[in-house]
Amino acid sequence: MQKETVIQAKTFTCQYIKREDRLLLTVNYKDISSRIDFWITRSFLLKLLPYFFEYSTTDLSPATEQKEIQNTTPTDNSTFLLTQKEPVLLDSVDFSRLKDGDNNIQITLKNLEKKIYCTAVLDEGSFKNFTKHITNTAPVMEWGIFDI
């Protein structure tokens, strides 16, 4: 029986891998002990899009927009490549809005076969940034999602 792996997500990096025709979503690329690489297929991304829109419905204030920009940093490609692991398929994502007064959103990325669970609590700006990062990385014309 396989043991559960639970990871607290701190950073997200996403890139399109043309050879695989999939997105590679990497969580915690700088920390090899808690790094996880997820494959996101076109069909799974299409299933996620309504949830991205549902949880991003509130208008962002200028202060939140500024915070969103500050939470973004470029990926160090040499560290990214040195810590790379064998990707697993992202086959489930849970979304929930927390009742913490800040309207934060908890997401849990899952690979059920290997029992890998990766959780993050994001404020509105960080969640919007997360969804933009994933959708902007996808080859929108080829995947038929150019209206997002």
Side-chain angles (χ1 to χ4, degrees), residues 52-53 56 95 126-136:
F52 286 173
F53 294 128
S56 296
F95 296 88
S126 296
F127 182 76
K128 185 176 179 185
N129 192 37
F130 170 78
T131 60
K132 273 185 179 177
H133 188 49
I134 291 174
T135 56
N136 289 344

Side-chain angles (χ1 to χ4, degrees), residues 45-106:
L45 178 61
L46 291 175
K47 291 174 187 174
L48 287 177
L49 290 177
Y51 295 98
F52 286 173
F53 294 128
E54 179 182 338
Y55 283 88
S56 296
T57 56
T58 55
D59 292 330
L60 296 176
S61 66
T64 307
E65 289 284 352
Q66 184 61 32
K67 188 174 183 182
E68 175 186 343
I69 293 166
Q70 291 174 353
N71 284 341
T72 305
T73 58
T75 300
D76 176 357
N77 289 328
S78 59
T79 302
F80 182 84
L81 292 173
L82 283 172
T83 61
Q84 192 162 8
K85 293 185 175 183
E86 184 70 29
V88 297
L89 189 65
L90 179 64
D91 55 20
S92 180
V93 180
D94 289 341
F95 296 88
S96 63
R97 193 167 298 278
L98 301 179
K99 294 177 173 64
D100 59 0
D102 294 329
N103 220 14
N104 289 329
I105 300 164
Q106 179 173 319

Side-chain angles (χ1 to χ4, degrees), residues 33-47:
S33 65
S34 66
R35 177 178 174 155
I36 186 72
D37 294 322
F38 286 109
W39 284 127
I40 302 176
T41 63
R42 175 189 174 273
S43 71
F44 193 72
L45 178 61
L46 291 175
K47 291 174 187 174

